[in-house]
Amino acid sequence: MELVANNKVAGGWHKRYRHASQTTDCEMTFAIFLPDIASSVKKVPVLYWLSGLTCTDENFMQKAGAFKAANALGIAIVAPDTSPRGELIPDDNEKSYDFGLGAGFYLNATQAPFDKHYQMYDYIVKELPEIIESHFPVTTQRAISGHSMGGHGALTLGLKNSDRYSSISAFSPIVHPMRCPWGIKAFTGYLGNDKSQWEDHDAVLLMQNKQYMTARPMLVSQGSADNFLDEQLQPWHLQKAAEAHNYPLQFEQHDGYDHSYFFIASFIDQHLAFHAKYFA
């Protein structure tokens, strides 16, 4: 791994690394915040944060204001990139923001030319935690959270891997991607036209599937003034699925908040405390 940045912040350390990924067959970047108590003697649990469309590892670390609470709670935060990057990585032909670079949707692509590099599911669930747990003073306790497309990733990865995450949370997540434009475009491009292959990446359908019903506590925060609420996010589908299957979902709608990092910064401390409770 190559250390790209190293910053003292809120008593702990923010570090940014670049490494060669076997899973995505390219160079990947991630950032990690380590609280001041993290050491070879005192290892700490990890919250994996998945960012949304167009973002990199830097958005959350620079805008969320999470470091003071994370340091006080003794939680490390890992923020990976949202897709593979590089000159040889295939992108959307139209260079749109909602597909290709910056829009990996946290799944394993099966369609050429994306299938060679866009293996974000395996990168987040398997390769990245192995790297983190091998090189940093952290435990194997993990939680997962994210925003928008990253909220979709947090919900689906958390539901499908309840043995790996003690709790799940999301801000403004895409909960039913099979029924929204962002999801339909991404699933068609990455997974093909067979919609039966899409079902394994839709949080609402996963919550309805008994195979994934080893429930982990889930917190979802949604702003009422989110301009993507009705067309893309549609959180009521997740609420209905949780009610029908007695899933432990804590859903909170916050009046006046939009889709931006102003919303995340307003409630990130609550999410960190939520995960800390289940780490304990």
Side-chain angles (χ1 to χ4, degrees), residues 1-265:
M1 294 192 301
E2 176 190 356
L3 181 64
V4 178
N6 189 31
N7 309 99
K8 183 82 172 182
V9 57
W13 287 94
H14 165 270
K15 299 174 182 285
R16 194 167 184 244
Y17 289 90
R18 185 183 297 122
H19 74 103
S21 167
Q22 294 182 351
T23 303
T24 64
D25 193 22
C26 68
E27 200 169 64
M28 295 292 290
T29 302
F30 70 86
I32 183 170
F33 170 75
L34 292 167
D36 60 351
I37 65 168
S39 68
S40 58
V41 176
K42 177 65 175 178
K43 296 184 177 183
V44 297
V46 183
L47 173 67
Y48 288 84
W49 173 270
L50 308 183
S51 290
L53 293 167
T54 75
C55 292
T56 68
D57 62 284
E58 296 181 283
N59 294 74
F60 177 83
M61 293 301 198
Q62 294 181 5
K63 296 179 179 180
F67 298 136
K68 286 184 179 180
N71 193 64
L73 293 167
I75 296 174
I77 303 174
V78 171
D81 204 345
T82 51
S83 78
R85 305 273 180 176
E87 293 182 1
L88 301 179
I89 305 301
D91 194 7
D92 181 37
N93 291 332
E94 299 178 357
K95 304 296 183 182
S96 60
Y97 75 95
D98 55 357
F99 186 75
L101 297 182
F105 268 81
Y106 305 103
L107 49 75
N108 289 338
T110 61
Q111 302 299 299
F114 303 100
D115 54 340
K116 181 179 180 181
H117 300 286
Y118 284 75
Q119 302 293 307
M120 290 299 293
Y121 179 96
D122 282 348
Y123 178 72
I124 300 298
V125 173
K126 299 175 183 179
E127 184 178 15
L128 185 58
E130 289 176 2
I131 292 171
I132 299 301
E133 290 161 18
S134 296
H135 291 86
F136 300 99
V138 300
T139 69
T140 57
Q141 285 185 296
R142 313 175 197 97
I144 192 164
S145 185
H147 171 236
S148 194
M149 177 188 72
H152 144 77
L155 297 183
T156 55
L157 271 60
L159 286 166
K160 293 175 65 175
N161 297 278
S162 58
D163 59 325
R164 299 183 69 86
Y165 305 106
S166 57
S167 52
I168 306 164
S169 78
F171 289 84
S172 314
I174 305 168
V175 305
H176 205 0
M178 290 186 67
R179 293 187 58 174
C180 77
W182 281 342
I184 292 169
K185 179 177 180 178
F187 287 1
T188 302
Y190 292 135
L191 303 173
N193 293 317
D194 182 359
K195 293 186 178 181
S196 67
Q197 302 302 311
W198 301 6
E199 296 174 359
D200 211 30
H201 304 281
D202 187 297
V204 170
L205 299 185
L206 291 174
M207 193 172 282
Q208 295 171 349
N209 190 334
K210 291 182 179 180
Q211 177 184 350
Y212 300 114
M213 284 310 290
T214 305
R216 289 290 181 257
M218 180 184 292
L219 170 63
V220 171
S221 297
Q222 177 62 59
S224 67
D226 193 316
N227 56 318
F228 300 113
L229 183 60
D230 292 335
E231 184 180 25
Q232 305 284 6
L233 308 180
Q234 306 172 5
W236 49 87
H237 292 302
L238 189 72
Q239 291 175 276
K240 290 179 181 178
E243 291 171 2
H245 296 275
N246 296 315
Y247 194 93
L249 168 64
Q250 179 180 338
F251 180 86
E252 297 186 355
Q253 179 162 301
H254 299 279
D255 290 343
Y257 287 91
D258 58 19
H259 199 71
S260 71
Y261 265 83
F262 292 113
F263 176 40
I264 296 170

